[in-house]
């Protein structure tokens, strides 16, 4: 029995290979997708570049946290969070909420990279966060910020 033509959809051999979905620690350098389908590790060079980018993302997260914290501390002199919402108070609270949401989204993106279970990428996240924490963990008074998730 002949099968009908399905409108020239083309062969399925033209599709890119599926992303590797590992659920255990691995050191693979073959077809590892990072956050997006187009961001793939397919060679040693792409692995090195991806690890550098992931390191920068971890470092950037700590920088972002430090900048938001510095803004919050400078803003604390203008209005306390527990004061009534008058004048610019509502705007400050919305700004704080938006910045908080951005940091939560950023931290979840790093978590998703970590959840590739690729050892190279996991080390890059941790190393970037560690170097960033070292660079930005103290405030102007010399207090060390805690290490929480977000």
């Amino acid at each position: 029995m002949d099968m009908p033509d399905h409108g020239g959809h083309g062969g399925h051999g033209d599709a890119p290979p599926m992303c590797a979905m590992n659920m255990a620690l691995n050191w693979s350098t073959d077809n590892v997708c990072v956050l997006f389908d187009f961001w793939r590790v397919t060679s040693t060079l792409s692995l090195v570049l991806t690890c550098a980018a992931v390191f920068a993302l971890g470092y950037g997260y700590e920088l972002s946290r430090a900048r938001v914290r510095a803004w919050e501390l400078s803003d604390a002199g203008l209005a306390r969070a527990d004061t009534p919402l008058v004048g610019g108070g509502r705007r400050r609270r919305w700004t704080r909420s938006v910045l908080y949401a951005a940091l939560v989204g950023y931290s979840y993106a790093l978590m998703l990279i970590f959840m590739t279970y690729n050892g190279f990428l996991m080390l890059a996240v941790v190393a970037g966060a560690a170097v960033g924490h070292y660079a930005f963990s103290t405030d102007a008074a010399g207090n060390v910020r805690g290490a929480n998730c977000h």
Side-chain angles (χ1 to χ4, degrees), residues 109-134:
L110 287 172
M111 179 196 64
L112 289 173
I113 293 171
F114 203 90
M115 288 180 62
T116 62
Y117 296 105
N118 183 286
F120 298 114
L121 299 181
M122 292 168 78
L123 288 174
V125 168
V126 170
V131 172
H133 183 77
Y134 178 81

